[in-house]
Amino acid sequence: MSATKSNGGREGQPPPSPTFLDQVYEFLSSVTLAIALLAFIAVTSIFGTLIKQQATPAEYLSFYSDSTYAIIRFLGLDDVFHSRWFVAAISLFVLNMIFCSLPRFIKLLRSRALIKVPNQKTLDAMGLRCLVPGKRIEDVAGVFKRYRNAQTNEGSRVLERGSLGRYAVYMVHLSIILILVGGLIGSLFGYRGPLTLAKGEIKDSVTARGNKGEIRPLGFALKLTDFKVSFYPSGEPKDYVSNVDVMENGKSVLQKSIRVNDPLNYKGVNIYQSSYGSNPLFVFDIGGERVELGQGGVYKKEKLHLMAVRYEKSVHNFGPGVLVAYVQENGQPQTSWFLKDVPRLRERSILGTTVRLDDIKEEFYTGLEVSRDPGVWVVWFGFALILFGLCVNFFFYHRRIYLVEVPNKGVLVAGTALKNKEGFKEEFEKLKGRLGCS
Amino acid sequence: MFVSNEILAVVTFLYLFLFFGHLVYFAAKSERVLTFVWVALYITFGLHTAGLIARWVESYRLSVGHAPLSNFYESLIFYGWCISLTVISMKKRLRFPLLTMFACLIALGFMGYASFSSSVDKKIQPLIPALQSNWLHIHVFTCFIAYAAFAVSFLAALFSIFNWKRIMPPEETLEELNYRSVMVGFPMLSAGILTGAVWAHYAWGSYWSWDPKETWSLITWIFYALFLHARFARGWKGRRIALLSVIGFASVIFTYFGVNFILSGLHSYGAA
Ligand code: HEM
């Protein structure tokens, strides 16, 4: 802020030559820098879309030559949006915006106290001007219903309308800073990570994605009670629903169906439906008893001891099958394939018990995405503010009307607007009609 | 074949007809022709709207009911509709036959591409879970209104670059037109990007993931922010500002088509 002071001091006499600090300030607050930075950010973002981001070296090398890849690595083009120079450009951009907007904003606030009626020469030069003959200010002022009285003096008056329009730019600039700050809070204090759950499974932590890669406790446990996928007749997925129980201290405290577009929010953690997958579930009949085993599932009863080791969609073109490992009479391990679609290979006697593979079902598991983002409310607020600011900026505009009494003649009405001059001209013409002036 | 497809095919021909109607106006310079052209434009727009509604109704008959904003075909049709809407709503202030002519030509291009290209799937498709959201409607609507406004700004810029004296509106009017369209387009594009971000947050937990389409819409947005600052804070005028407008629209087109065909990502309109 010392820069601002040195700027203010420049108005004193005699004018000192600009110091280094002045020049830095000049540069940091210039719109030219803003335009250059916007162009830079736009152009480098293009690279970020043309070159695959955050891929593995092997992926790049299958696409680019060694030397091209070396250049990409050197310039950080394999991760543009997190590279140091990109972050530096954004930071400079934020500084630029603050240095540019803050002094202007302060000046705007101060100027409110300094409203005055311009001198006769300036009034005469205003394009929108007319004289209401034989009236006094009080008679005329009633016509400007939608105008606010900004100042009343002896023999003159200043009226204003749309002054909110002058603040809109600052709302917009501030909201951009807010959005960036919200994003920063999220990336510093938040995390994201995938969480898969099979039916009945309980988890209470997630492995955060990205270079953090650490295990984050959720602060509660999540149990998948049911998972359903439904399809359209065309085979496209229609809906995925994960029914979950939120558990605290082993007790279920909340039940919720998580769907795409309908996440669970609990204690600041959001849990989204993102994908699904399936595991085979083998249905055996073991000596008359129905047993369901997943891959790696073990069955143990008296001496009989077996495990479903591996699933193949197609075993030598004989359809789906499961490799089962078991312990023989002599204690030696042995494996054999059970094939669902081949009657002869569906059933086998192990240690005198008949083991039959009745079915292979698909057991769906859900792919959830866990994210915690403490900055998101700042971002939402920024979004609301920027939309509001933009609407105000483009649809309100500031204009002033000066009423000056001219002795023995009447009231001089003069108006100015910095923006939307066309629109103001139309409005002024209408007002003129109502004032009955020339 | 659905009724909506037939209506929309007729609408496509009407845009062609409107284009020729303008040519007749320029040849004959008769105000009566222009009045006739405007009536025809209203009828075309009405039918266009009817076509969209019919498609919406038909999607309910197929029990996959959703607004016709969900695949590439529907977005092309909707873009054409937004362009008509923009021209019609600008009529009172900025009435230029040249502008409506080119707007009809652009609408014709989108409609023709949608109706006659074999690479555009016209089927009414069911919505995958990620698209089943009310945010879809407001997101697509705001984006395409913005794209339509930028198309008008692009036309104004083109007219001032190719200053063809006899039928061209005056330079200041063109700049006014250019600025007014960006004034509508910029908040709309902002709203489009922001609603997209909110939607992404609710659909998969991240409001911004630098997906190519997101990034390109941001590039377009930054570009128009640059346009505004060049114009207001640096006082750029004339050819320079017109050129910025042209580049901005090129970015819009790339955001819409290029990303679909060349890059890939979450926004899978083009894949259909
Ligand atoms: C993406 C970032 C930015 C956005 C979206 C933005 C938005 C805007 C908008 C909407 C306006 C009003 C223009 C009009 O009325 O047509 C404006 C004006 C302005 N902006 Fe920005 N801005 C951004 C960045 C910056 C930066 C970094 C600076 C710093 C130099 C800056 C300086 C200004 C100035 C000086 C004005 C003119 C204010 C006036 O008319 O008194 N802007 N900005």
Side-chain angles (χ1 to χ4, degrees):
Chain A
M1 286 299 35
S2 61
T4 320
K5 274 187 208 132
S6 73
N7 188 34
R10 220 165 46 183
E11 282 161 18
Q13 303 209 342
S17 62
T19 63
F20 176 68
L21 219 56
D22 284 339
Q23 282 170 335
V24 170
Y25 174 76
E26 202 66 37
F27 171 74
L28 271 181
S29 64
S30 69
V31 178
T32 313
L33 176 64
I35 291 178
L37 281 172
L38 285 172
F40 178 81
I41 292 169
V43 170
T44 49
S45 298
I46 294 178
F47 282 103
T49 65
L50 298 181
I51 297 170
K52 195 163 190 240
Q53 299 289 291
Q54 296 180 319
T56 59
E59 278 179 274
Y60 288 113
L61 287 172
S62 70
F63 225 84
Y64 304 103
S65 70
D66 283 4
S67 52
T68 316
Y69 178 53
I71 295 173
I72 289 177
R73 275 301 295 267
F74 178 71
L75 294 177
L77 294 176
D78 54 346
D79 195 4
V80 170
F81 306 111
H82 304 96
S83 68
R84 279 185 200 178
W85 49 263
F86 194 79
V87 174
I90 301 272
S91 314
L92 188 57
F93 173 77
V94 169
L95 270 186
N96 180 210
M97 192 126 81
I98 295 172
F99 271 84
C100 174
S101 306
L102 202 59
R104 280 168 197 255
F105 182 61
I106 292 170
K107 211 168 125 199
L108 176 63
L109 288 182
R110 291 224 177 103
S111 75
R112 302 210 51 81
L114 301 172
I115 298 175
K116 58 171 190 261
V117 181
N119 58 28
Q120 196 60 41
K121 222 170 113 195
T122 320
L123 279 177
D124 287 343
M126 286 182 189
L128 303 176
R129 206 159 35 93
C130 76
L131 188 75
V132 195
K135 293 260 172 101
R136 310 208 44 201
I137 286 187
E138 294 75 48
D139 313 326
V140 172
V143 171
F144 301 94
K145 279 197 202 71
R146 312 192 59 174
Y147 279 74
R148 205 174 50 83
N149 207 340
Q151 207 185 46
T152 309
N153 299 322
E154 189 60 38
S156 69
R157 201 175 276 192
V158 183
L159 303 173
E160 261 187 337
R161 187 174 169 190
S163 24
L164 192 60
R166 292 202 294 175
Y167 297 94
V169 171
Y170 305 102
M171 293 188 221
V172 173
H173 289 169
L174 174 67
S175 61
I176 289 169
I177 296 179
L178 280 178
I179 293 169
L180 291 171
V181 166
L184 185 68
I185 294 176
S187 70
L188 288 181
F189 304 110
Y191 60 84
R192 284 164 61 76
L195 186 76
T196 55
L197 283 175
K199 217 153 120 183
E201 203 176 355
I202 303 179
K203 282 188 184 163
D204 61 2
S205 64
V206 59
T207 309
R209 197 177 279 127
N211 47 10
K212 293 178 188 167
E214 52 199 323
I215 298 195
R216 296 287 196 138
L218 297 177
F220 53 89
L222 203 65
K223 176 179 177 181
L224 185 72
T225 52
D226 198 8
F227 179 67
K228 287 202 199 73
V229 193
S230 56
F231 296 91
Y232 290 107
S234 62
E236 301 248 7
K238 180 176 184 181
D239 197 10
Y240 326 140
V241 197
S242 302
N243 291 322
V244 295
D245 271 5
V246 177
M247 322 261 292
E248 295 227 51
N249 303 321
K251 278 203 298 277
S252 161
V253 290
L254 180 73
Q255 294 182 331
K256 156 99 185 162
S257 300
I258 302 178
R259 294 183 142 87
V260 182
N261 277 312
D262 184 13
L264 161 72
N265 182 301
Y266 189 73
K267 287 194 165 171
V269 179
N270 289 310
I271 298 176
Y272 303 85
Q273 184 67 56
S274 79
S275 63
Y276 68 92
S278 65
N279 284 326
L281 191 69
F282 314 107
V283 184
F284 286 100
D285 181 304
I286 303 181
E289 180 192 356
R290 185 187 150 94
V291 175
E292 291 189 356
L293 291 181
Q295 208 158 202
V298 174
Y299 176 83
K300 212 168 169 182
K301 194 171 188 187
E302 287 154 25
K303 268 166 55 190
L304 188 63
H305 195 166
L306 58 84
M307 176 179 177
V309 181
R310 201 169 95 218
Y311 171 66
E312 288 282 340
K313 277 208 175 69
S314 174
V315 184
H316 300 296
N317 290 332
F318 286 115
V322 54
L323 187 67
V324 173
Y326 52 91
V327 186
Q328 282 174 304
E329 206 106 38
N330 57 12
Q332 291 296 313
Q334 164 82 33
T335 59
S336 11
W337 281 98
F338 283 72
L339 302 188
K340 192 182 111 193
D341 298 335
V342 185
R344 202 165 43 81
L345 294 175
R346 194 190 292 158
E347 199 175 297
R348 186 168 269 128
S349 176
I350 300 173
L351 301 180
T353 312
T354 312
V355 177
R356 190 174 72 232
L357 177 67
D358 278 343
D359 199 4
I360 300 181
K361 292 200 294 200
E362 266 186 310
E363 188 191 40
F364 286 102
Y365 61 86
T366 184
L368 302 171
E369 176 82 14
V370 177
S371 110
R372 204 181 115 76
D373 187 346
V376 79
W377 289 104
V378 181
V379 174
W380 287 176
F381 182 74
F383 281 8
L385 189 64
I386 196 170
L387 286 184
F388 179 72
L390 285 172
C391 290
V392 170
N393 183 64
F394 291 120
F395 300 107
F396 279 63
Y397 64 99
H398 177 245
R399 58 260 202 213
R400 265 197 195 142
I401 294 216
Y402 302 102
L403 305 177
V404 183
E405 250 172 31
V406 187
N408 305 324
K409 280 196 180 157
V411 180
L412 177 71
V413 180
T416 55
L418 280 178
K419 282 171 109 185
N420 195 9
K421 296 195 166 113
E422 288 286 310
F424 186 53
K425 200 166 151 193
E426 271 173 39
E427 187 190 344
F428 199 82
E429 290 303 318
K430 272 191 211 144
L431 288 169
K432 257 165 99 172
R434 263 188 277 158
L435 287 165
C437 70
S438 48
Chain B
M1 195 71 182
F2 296 106
V3 184
S4 61
N5 287 2
E6 274 165 33
I7 298 178
L8 292 168
V10 171
V11 170
T12 310
F13 280 109
L14 282 177
Y15 282 115
L16 183 65
F17 174 77
L18 278 169
F19 174 67
F20 284 117
H22 281 96
L23 287 184
V24 171
Y25 163 76
F26 284 118
K29 280 282 175 191
S30 142
E31 284 304 312
R32 286 195 22 219
V33 175
L34 194 59
T35 314
F36 174 74
V37 163
W38 268 97
V39 171
L41 181 56
Y42 283 130
I43 294 174
T44 309
F45 180 69
L47 268 182
H48 200 157
T49 314
L52 283 170
I53 294 175
R55 191 171 167 95
W56 199 336
V57 171
E58 277 158 7
S59 81
Y60 274 95
R61 275 213 208 109
L62 293 177
S63 66
V64 293
H66 58 77
L69 303 170
S70 72
N71 64 14
F72 188 51
Y73 172 77
E74 290 172 340
S75 75
L76 283 168
I77 302 286
F78 189 65
Y79 196 175
W81 184 83
C82 289
I83 286 180
S84 291
L85 177 71
T86 313
V87 190
I88 287 176
S89 49
M90 281 186 155
K91 180 187 174 192
K92 223 177 99 197
R93 282 195 163 274
L94 306 153
R95 178 176 172 164
F96 302 122
L98 197 66
L99 176 72
T100 33
M101 178 168 93
F102 275 90
C104 288
L105 194 62
I106 294 181
L108 173 67
F110 288 131
M111 296 295 290
Y113 181 38
S115 304
F116 302 118
S117 165
S118 57
S119 64
V120 181
D121 188 352
K122 297 187 212 19
K123 276 208 291 291
I124 296 180
Q125 288 139 332
L127 288 184
I128 57 164
L131 291 181
Q132 299 163 7
S133 167
N134 286 330
W135 289 106
L136 169 75
H137 304 133
I138 175 160
H139 172 62
V140 176
F141 188 83
T142 47
C143 284
F144 279 96
I145 292 286
Y147 290 0
F150 291 141
V152 173
S153 137
F154 165 72
L155 287 180
L158 266 197
F159 297 160
S160 67
I161 288 173
F162 298 101
N163 204 342
W164 193 14
K165 289 276 174 341
R166 287 204 2 244
I167 51 174
M168 203 65 68
E171 182 65 33
E172 306 84 70
T173 322
L174 284 176
E175 284 204 9
E176 174 83 3
L177 177 61
N178 192 344
Y179 172 59
R180 272 185 189 282
S181 342
V182 174
M183 200 170 97
V184 172
F186 191 72
M188 279 292 169
L189 182 63
S190 311
I193 295 175
L194 303 189
T195 49
V198 176
W199 178 16
H201 174 80
Y202 285 106
W204 44 78
S206 165
Y207 53 81
W208 197 262
S209 43
W210 296 109
D211 145 84
K213 191 123 187 161
E214 272 172 15
T215 310
W216 269 96
S217 66
L218 183 69
I219 291 167
T220 305
W221 185 80
I222 292 178
F223 212 84
Y224 281 102
L226 196 153
F227 171 99
L228 289 174
H229 289 83
R231 196 192 138 117
F232 277 90
R234 305 285 317 149
W236 285 24
K237 271 202 155 83
R239 212 158 246 260
R240 283 211 277 183
I241 209 80
L243 211 60
L244 281 186
S245 227
V246 172
I247 301 176
F249 190 62
S251 179
V252 168
I253 290 298
F254 194 81
T255 308
Y256 182 30
F257 294 106
V259 176
N260 288 344
F261 297 135
I262 299 170
L263 312 169
S264 64
L266 299 168
H267 290 73
S268 50
Y269 273 5

